[in-house]
Amino acid sequence: MGKYIVKRFIMMIATILIIATLTFVLMHLIPGSPFEGERTTNPTIQANLEKFYKLDEPLHIQYLSYLKSIVTFDFGPSIKKPNESVNELLARGFPISFELGMATILVALLSGIILGTIAALRHNGLVDYFAMTFAVVGISVPNFVLATLLIQHLAVTWDLLPAATWSSPLHMILPIIALATGPTAIIARLTRSSMLEVLTQDYIKMARAKGLSPVRIIVRHALRNALMPVVTILGTMLAGILTGTFVIERIFAIPGMGKYFVESINNRDYPVIMGTTVFYSAFLVFMLFIVDIVYGLLDPRIKLHRKEGDA
């Protein structure tokens, strides 16, 4: 386990470095300057601004300075909001985005596992057909389209729920539904297919022969193995949900990182773009690492090291 953790840690650092480098290169490949479109076009003022943000230095010097900011976790001030640092924007926006993402993951996991399990137990029944129909629709409809429909019908037409901001639990319902529908459908399909396979295994038949209750058989024996495919995709699904919150946050006017990230792209605010990208990349790579550990704990048959004699 120790060797595996060290190996994964080195891979995490390498991945973050690659992402940071690509982000830096892409930012500087974009034509123009962050100061284009400002009210003043005075060349002297623009030159002073570029000097203040070190944009007049050679690219390799800027890159080294950028790497230093990553190591020290000090991304400097925002170009468009000079009175605020990127760290302050992250401290203010990320907790909200994280809360939205974690709530979405929790809802998707609970709903998808329950729906998939019931569909497997009622195979070829009405519940099964409903679950698979929901799964097809949930996967097919993009979350931003679903968000628009939810606002139109549940907030505007029927006035059941608030449509925007993030000031009460009621404000969380619509964005969570918009984000969780797709992952719920995927988890339900995986759980159903995996559960159908597990229920035919010999150890399940043996558990039934011993007279164990159906609930105990499902919860303690079948569900644990049936969740392996779900755990496998959980890392990438988490990444998709956390980055997908950016669009949903803009639609529902949620003051998370999506607001600052989209604005930074429109304004070419290099420090915010690069700081946010590196921060999210590091967070998501770490979460993928946790998922790998959980995957190994759920299935003791999985070895975290190569067997003797393996190449």
Side-chain angles (χ1 to χ4, degrees):
M1 177 67 76
K3 293 181 178 179
Y4 176 76
I5 293 176
V6 172
K7 180 180 178 181
R8 289 289 292 139
F9 179 78
I10 294 174
M11 292 177 61
M12 287 168 54
I13 298 300
T15 302
I16 295 172
L17 179 61
I18 292 173
I19 293 174
T21 302
L22 289 175
T23 304
F24 178 85
V25 172
L26 291 175
M27 286 300 96
H28 286 81
L29 286 178
I30 299 175
S33 167
F35 306 107
E36 289 184 358
E38 296 288 344
R39 294 181 179 179
T40 177
T41 56
N42 189 310
T44 303
I45 295 179
Q46 182 169 337
N48 289 335
L49 288 172
E50 291 180 352
K51 182 178 181 180
F52 177 79
Y53 289 101
K54 300 180 181 180
L55 298 179
D56 61 335
E57 296 180 349
L59 286 180
H60 69 280
I61 300 297
Q62 294 186 46
Y63 179 67
L64 292 176
S65 177
Y66 171 50
L67 292 182
K68 180 181 177 182
S69 69
I70 295 175
V71 174
T72 59
F73 197 69
D74 182 9
F75 299 107
S78 165
I79 291 178
K80 296 301 178 179
K81 298 180 179 179
N83 295 327
E84 294 184 288
S85 67
V86 178
N87 293 50
E88 291 174 341
L89 296 179
L90 287 170
R92 184 163 63 246
F94 179 73
I96 297 176
S97 297
F98 180 78
E99 182 181 2
L100 175 59
M102 290 299 101
T104 300
I105 282 288
L106 181 61
V107 170
L109 280 174
L110 291 177
S111 303
I113 291 172
I114 293 173
L115 189 60
T117 302
I118 295 176
L121 296 176
R122 299 291 185 267
H123 183 47
N124 289 331
L126 183 61
V127 176
D128 188 17
Y129 294 140
F130 168 79
M132 292 306 97
T133 301
F134 167 79
V136 172
V137 175
I139 296 173
S140 303
V141 179
N143 56 23
F144 60 88
V145 174
L146 180 59
T148 305
L149 295 175
L150 290 172
I151 292 174
Q152 176 62 38
H153 294 289
L154 297 183
V156 177
T157 304
W158 297 335
D159 194 23
L160 296 177
L161 294 168
T165 70
W166 191 258
S167 57
S168 72
L170 289 178
H171 290 85
M172 302 173 63
I173 296 177
L174 291 184
I176 289 177
I177 292 176
L179 280 171
T181 299
T184 298
I186 296 173
I187 292 172
R189 287 177 62 91
L190 286 175
T191 303
R192 173 186 176 273
S193 60
S194 183
M195 182 67 75
L196 287 174
E197 181 180 354
V198 168
L199 291 176
T200 62
Q201 300 298 315
D202 291 338
Y203 66 88
I204 298 296
K205 297 177 182 179
M206 181 64 69
R208 289 171 177 166
K210 290 181 177 179
L212 299 180
S213 66
V215 174
R216 186 176 182 182
I217 292 174
I218 295 300
V219 174
R220 295 197 59 181
H221 299 280
L223 193 57
R224 178 175 178 176
N225 292 312
L227 289 181
M228 295 305 297
V230 176
V231 177
T232 303
I233 68 165
L234 191 58
T236 54
M237 184 175 292
L238 177 64
I241 289 176
L242 287 179
T243 53
T245 60
F246 287 174
V247 177
I248 297 301
E249 286 174 12
R250 293 291 289 177
I251 294 175
F252 288 98
I254 298 173
M257 279 309 302
K259 171 185 176 182
Y260 304 117
F261 188 70
V262 174
E263 289 178 352
S264 67
I265 294 177
N266 293 332
N267 297 326
R268 296 178 183 174
D269 195 337
Y270 294 163
V272 176
I273 294 174
M274 293 189 290
T276 303
T277 302
V278 171
F279 178 79
Y280 266 82
S281 299
F283 176 77
L284 293 175
V285 169
F286 176 74
M287 294 306 296
L288 290 173
F289 169 72
I290 297 299
V291 169
D292 287 344
I293 298 297
V294 173
Y295 192 78
L297 293 176
L298 284 177
D299 192 348
R301 296 171 299 177
I302 298 175
K303 301 298 182 183
L304 299 181
H305 56 81
R306 292 182 298 179
K307 296 180 181 179
E308 294 182 4
D310 288 350

